[in-house]
Amino acid sequence: MKEVLMRVVNAVVRRILMSPLHDLLSRFVVLLVITGRRSGRAYTIPVRYAENGDVLTVVSRRGRTWWWNLEGGAALTVVLRGRSHPAHGSATTDPAAVRAALTELGQPVVRSLAEGVAISMVVGPADPRVTPTGRWGRWFRAVTLGELAGFAVPAVVAAFLAGSGSPLLQALALIAAGAVEGLVLGLAQAYALRTVLSWVPTLAWAGATSCGAAIAWAAGAVPATVGDRVALGVAGLCAMGVLQWRVLAVRSPGSAWWIAATAGAWALALGVFAAVATPLWHEGQPVWLIALIGLLGGAAMAVTVAALTGLAFVRLVAGSEREHQARAHAA
């Protein structure tokens, strides 16, 4: 069971490290792609690493077998921070080398020096980066799926809480579910965003999106007069854009228009949701039907917001590229 779990975890780690979301792990973990000397098969191994210039250091256990392919030196490929690099590595069981490697890594990863293997790799320049095309389409697909998957959480929560006697419980549950929705959406947006703007940090973007969604749900859940409701609605629509812009402003200070663009997109998307779902909802419907109606409205909302924010995304990337070219020209 433990081996199966480790295989699943390693597969997930490999997938993340080879995706635009690699920065979730790539500060600590690197992928080694090693060709077996006897089998000729390629093995992809995620390992913790230490970096010193163009030299990477990792430590493994002697009971593992992949490092045998590096004894005496061998070529391999290193996937470091989402980029593939040719490298040359060597492995040694010398206790002094293992001790030095453990010290460089900052913590012991084997119980004793007698169990350790130190691997050192000299890493070459990264392979050329391929400039992705179809930016709007990539954003549209990612955000549609992300918003649909994320919105399923508050849709199901709302269906189960329908008719509950505790308005406070309903509000708190929906705000928490909205934060989960925003987290899933933020990860999906970061996936598309980082294909061309790799400087945008995944965690910061997903966190900003999650907080913005929670604020929006809170604004909708707070009892208020008609006049106050307008102010709360505006605040809810702008919250996500404001928090996302704070992430963008670090490298793209001229992107404040993102706030208005996303707020407008969400306003129209919520209107589409209401137009689709409201006529279908009736008092006394079963939970499964309420959830299904919510998901149907959520799908229409997801498509709308993905299409509209996709236009903003294309403009954002174009503006970032112009700023980069201007800085390069000035230098």
Side-chain angles (χ1 to χ4, degrees), residues 2 47 58-68 92-93 98 108-119:
K2 183 178 178 181
V47 289
V58 305
V59 173
S60 183
R61 297 180 186 273
R62 294 191 191 184
R64 295 171 182 168
T65 58
W66 61 265
W67 61 269
W68 295 354
T92 178
T93 57
V98 175
V109 293
V110 293
R111 286 175 294 180
S112 70
L113 296 179
E115 296 179 354
V117 180
I119 298 100

Side-chain angles (χ1 to χ4, degrees), residues 83-104:
R83 303 285 300 277
S84 293
H85 300 251
H88 188 274
S90 59
T92 178
T93 57
D94 177 64
V98 175
R99 182 183 293 107
L102 289 172
T103 301
E104 193 167 353

Side-chain angles (χ1 to χ4, degrees), residues 7 16 51 76 105 151 153 190 220 269 291 311:
R7 288 179 183 175
I16 292 173
E51 184 177 14
L76 71 156
L105 283 164
F151 186 73
V153 179
L311 299 176

Side-chain angles (χ1 to χ4, degrees), residues 124-136:
D127 292 342
R129 186 187 295 274
V130 178
T131 302
T133 58
R135 294 169 180 174
W136 182 89

Side-chain angles (χ1 to χ4, degrees), residues 132-160:
T133 58
R135 294 169 180 174
W136 182 89
R138 182 178 291 103
W139 176 275
F140 177 78
R141 290 188 295 272
V143 174
T144 297
L145 292 175
E147 173 57 16
L148 184 57
F151 186 73
V153 179
V156 172
V157 169
F160 275 100

Side-chain angles (χ1 to χ4, degrees), residues 247-270:
V247 177
L248 295 173
V250 174
R251 292 278 294 271
S252 184
S255 56
W257 57 267
W258 179 263
I259 300 170
T262 54
W266 278 107
L268 288 173
L270 290 170

Side-chain angles (χ1 to χ4, degrees), residues 5 13-14 16 44 58 73 122 146 172 188 210 243 253 262 274 330:
L5 180 61
V13 169
R14 286 195 294 269
I16 292 173
T44 305
V58 305
V122 179
L172 292 176
S210 178
L243 294 175
T262 54

